[in-house]
Amino acid sequence: MKTVVLIIGANGQLGSVLTESLKQKFGNSNVIASDLRSREGYEGSFEIIDATDINRIEEVVVQYKVTQIYHLAAILSAKGEETPLRTWDINMQTLFNVLEVSRKHNIDRVFFPSSIAVFGEGAPLENTPNNAYLDPATVYGISKAAGENWAQYYFLRYGLDVRSIRYPGVIGYQSLPGGGTTDYAVDIYHKAVLEQDFNCFLKENATLPMIFMEDAIRATIELMDAPKEDIHTRTSYNIAGISFSPAEVVTEIRKLYPDFKVRYEPDFRQEIAARWPNSIDDSAAAKDWGWKPKYDLKLITTTMIQKLKEKYRKGSKNQAALML
Ligand code: NAD
């Protein structure tokens, strides 16, 4: 059977990079990117989909004979706190719509990203296990914890092959983050390369699990490629990249930019971060589908700085600066 992939939320931090990897894997004509708005200069099939509209998802699935759906659309942790009930509605309604269309049209595989935001004070802070108690304190985390259970429900009840990863904070040079609690770890590199001071909204010792974009994308594709019988976790898999605090990133950056200045001005996002794990136990993902991260903080830092310098040199400086 030919694989035809639909990505919902394809313009976001992860979606824009994942779309390119899936195009390389399956061929341009077999990947349909979609989001609320079109993307300027996008090469390939693009459809406007508001995923709260089930009919629109169904229309595109039928039109392109879609066999896999990557459902990335969501309102993230920090942004979500501005309008909690709206966040719940959007995160849940879009997931229900994807699950229902997938069930009705026998979609082969569905990807639903969860997050370390599912954990709260009831989970151990260090090496948090896959099956830790989930008592998230943000509406985003609540929606992801519920979503994981719905993913498992559709698998158990209807045999729908939904797969999920709890991403840590994702760091990449390709795109900008969309309102999460770990966004500082992308912004800080932009500021370093632009030789500007950085105001950090977390405390200097706020250690959080993070992952480099390349690792996050590879994990997603490896999970989706794994044989069905190897997937034993149907809620969501923990995956670890590396854990670090703002102070540790600053130390790495100063090896390249010794004059880099940072002010710590913790805001409400520090409260969110304080309830999330410091580090993650990803042994279930390692055992079931061979997960292993490649990027440590040193490699992330040298790669981020090199790639961002190239980007700014090529003239995207104004555009990128505007987005910060
Ligand atoms: P993002 O905010 O950058 O992108 C989300 C995209 O979804 C945006 O392009 C937005 O326009 C789109 N969207 C929002 N509402 C929509 C709707 N109703 N219909 C269609 N599209 C809609 O997010 P991201 O960082 O790319 O995250 C992708 C997924 O990964 C999300 O589900 C997020 O919860 C999860 N995740 C991300 C991180 C991270 O660090 N980036 C960490 C953990 C989990």
Side-chain angles (χ1 to χ4, degrees):
M1 184 176 60
K2 187 171 84 161
T3 299
V4 179
V5 172
L6 170 64
I7 303 149
I8 296 177
N11 288 353
Q13 186 197 6
L14 271 154
S16 53
V17 188
L18 181 64
T19 303
E20 294 310 312
S21 296
L22 291 172
K23 272 161 52 175
Q24 273 177 19
K25 184 171 166 61
F26 294 114
N28 278 11
S29 58
N30 295 319
V31 174
I32 295 94
S34 77
D35 207 298
L36 291 172
R37 278 170 284 280
S38 59
R39 187 165 1 136
E40 212 181 306
Y42 180 78
E43 284 173 20
S45 304
F46 194 102
E47 294 289 337
I48 306 268
I49 296 182
D50 179 340
T52 58
D53 178 356
I54 192 168
N55 296 326
R56 181 65 188 134
I57 301 175
E58 188 164 23
E59 217 170 73
V60 173
V61 162
V62 170
Q63 183 187 341
Y64 290 94
K65 300 189 171 59
V66 168
T67 65
Q68 289 191 4
I69 302 181
Y70 290 72
H71 172 46
L72 304 180
I75 309 298
L76 270 60
S77 57
K79 186 104 187 84
E81 292 305 293
E82 290 169 13
T83 51
L85 296 184
R86 181 174 166 269
T87 300
W88 171 260
D89 280 346
I90 291 177
N91 290 1
M92 297 314 296
Q93 193 57 57
T94 57
L95 175 62
F96 288 140
N97 290 347
V98 167
L99 292 174
E100 268 304 285
V101 169
S102 299
R103 178 180 73 79
K104 192 168 156 199
H105 291 277
N106 297 317
I107 293 295
D108 191 39
R109 280 174 199 185
V110 178
F111 178 73
F112 163 66
S114 185
S115 161
I116 55 162
V118 294
F119 298 116
E121 291 202 324
L125 276 181
E126 299 296 341
N127 228 12
T128 310
N130 217 101
N131 62 356
Y133 184 68
L134 303 185
D135 58 350
T138 58
V139 65
Y140 171 73
I142 299 172
S143 72
K144 289 294 185 186
E148 290 184 2
N149 285 304
W150 276 104
Q152 176 170 258
Y153 180 85
Y154 268 71
F155 173 72
L156 295 173
R157 176 81 201 266
Y158 304 115
L160 182 66
D161 190 352
V162 193
R163 303 174 180 203
S164 177
I165 282 174
R166 290 173 182 149
Y167 291 125
V170 180
I171 304 168
Y173 54 85
Q174 301 93 330
S175 50
L176 288 166
T181 303
T182 52
D183 291 8
Y184 91 86
V186 177
D187 295 346
I188 197 167
Y189 288 109
H190 284 263
K191 286 287 193 287
V193 168
L194 291 167
E195 299 188 27
Q196 294 173 1
D197 297 353
F198 181 64
N199 287 346
C200 186
F201 59 71
L202 295 186
K203 287 185 181 169
E204 61 181 312
N205 61 354
T207 299
L208 289 173
M210 299 281 185
I211 192 166
F212 198 49
M213 182 66 83
E214 270 71 358
D215 274 344
I217 300 293
R218 185 170 54 81
T220 308
I221 290 176
E222 284 177 6
L223 171 66
M224 290 299 272
D225 276 350
K228 196 172 175 181
E229 59 277 12
D230 290 350
I231 308 298
H232 301 296
T233 296
R234 285 293 176 175
T235 48
S236 192
Y237 281 102
N238 282 0
I239 59 164
I242 175 187
S243 287
F244 57 76
S245 65
E248 287 169 289
V249 191
V250 172
T251 303
E252 275 310 313
I253 290 177
R254 282 193 183 139
K255 290 180 185 165
L256 298 155
Y257 292 93
D259 297 329
F260 184 53
K261 288 195 184 55
V262 180
R263 269 185 305 275
Y264 293 96
E265 292 171 351
D267 65 17
F268 73 100
R269 288 169 281 193
Q270 173 58 36
E271 300 301 311
I272 297 177
R275 289 168 183 264
W276 287 358
N278 296 341
S279 61
I280 292 289
D281 170 8
D282 60 0
S283 51
K287 181 164 164 282
D288 288 359
W289 44 278
W291 167 244
K292 197 170 187 303
K294 286 190 182 152
Y295 283 80
D296 61 14
L297 180 56
K298 191 175 160 55
L299 190 53
I300 290 174
T301 302
T302 49
T303 312
M304 282 297 283
I305 287 180
Q306 186 207 330
K307 294 287 184 184
L308 288 177
K309 270 163 96 172
E310 282 168 18
K311 235 179 166 174
Y312 283 119
R313 218 179 288 129
K314 278 188 196 143
S316 51
K317 190 167 186 161
N318 290 343
Q319 195 198 353
L322 270 178
M323 290 157 93
L324 287 177

